[in-house]
Amino acid sequence: MRTQRQVVDYSLQKRAVLRELLAGRVGTYDVCDASPYLKNAARFHGEPTDRRCPICRSENLTLVHYIYGDELKQSAGQARTLAELPVLAMTLREFQVFVVEVCLGCDWNHLVEQYLLGRDGLTGDSDATGEQDAAGAEIAGRRRREAQR
């Protein structure tokens, strides 16, 4: 998406959790603890992937996108499909997206990434263009006045 910015990737943290699990310092019940709400969000709003669950290796993971932001008001904290995010990004100034991977088989879940979306990501480009257009118009106006003298 064009307005996606300030991306935080949590893959290193995920690798550390899996390493702790394989070493026996953390139990399966500690990492496979998806709530019923998260599992329902994965079923109804999630995006299926081709990646296998790192715990049970029998189910494919599902990505759930949660949105948060001041402009969302009552919609903050809701799960949205990936197709809804570009529409929201063009209508709202700024909101944060949290992507969680979920296994519906063993209840594994982990935060994958977080990023900002919204129209504010476009204003930096349009402001620079607008300033250049204004400067160009000012120079053209001066030249016209000088030519009239």
Side-chain angles (χ1 to χ4, degrees), residues 16-90:
V17 168
L18 292 173
R19 190 172 38 250
E20 294 290 311
L21 180 69
L22 291 174
R25 291 185 285 270
V26 176
T28 308
Y29 290 112
D30 294 327
V31 295
C32 295
D33 59 352
S35 73
Y37 296 113
L38 178 58
K39 290 174 71 173
N40 278 337
R43 269 190 211 97
F44 298 111
H45 303 288
E47 301 291 327
T49 67
D50 293 334
R51 291 178 288 152
R52 290 284 185 189
C53 173
I55 307 300
C56 69
R57 291 185 168 76
S58 63
E59 298 272 336
N60 286 348
L61 294 171
T62 303
L63 297 179
V64 182
H65 299 81
Y66 284 101
I67 56 172
Y68 292 91
D70 293 337
E71 287 182 274
L72 292 167
K73 300 194 189 322
Q74 296 91 346
S75 298
Q78 290 183 351
R80 296 295 178 113
T81 62
L82 193 57
E84 292 175 291
L85 294 180
V87 175
L88 286 170
M90 290 299 126

Side-chain angles (χ1 to χ4, degrees), residues 3-29:
T3 65
Q4 185 176 354
R5 58 200 181 278
Q6 295 182 8
V7 178
V8 179
D9 184 10
Y10 293 95
S11 59
L12 291 176
Q13 188 179 33
K14 177 182 170 181
R15 286 175 49 190
V17 168
L18 292 173
R19 190 172 38 250
E20 294 290 311
L21 180 69
L22 291 174
R25 291 185 285 270
V26 176
T28 308
Y29 290 112

Side-chain angles (χ1 to χ4, degrees), residues 115-136:
Y115 54 88
L116 286 177
L117 283 179
R119 288 188 328 251
D120 278 359
L122 297 174
T123 57
D125 299 335
S126 62
D127 282 351
T129 306
E131 289 174 9
Q132 290 172 352
D133 291 345

Side-chain angles (χ1 to χ4, degrees), residues 93-139:
R93 277 185 348 101
E94 183 175 270
F95 62 97
Q96 206 159 22
V97 180
F98 291 87
V99 183
V100 180
E101 66 180 14
V102 182
C103 175
L104 295 172
C106 70
D107 295 347
W108 158 262
N109 64 93
H110 197 274
L111 180 63
V112 176
E113 70 178 344
Q114 143 190 5
Y115 54 88
L116 286 177
L117 283 179
R119 288 188 328 251
D120 278 359
L122 297 174
T123 57
D125 299 335
S126 62
D127 282 351
T129 306
E131 289 174 9
Q132 290 172 352
D133 291 345
E138 185 178 335
I139 291 169

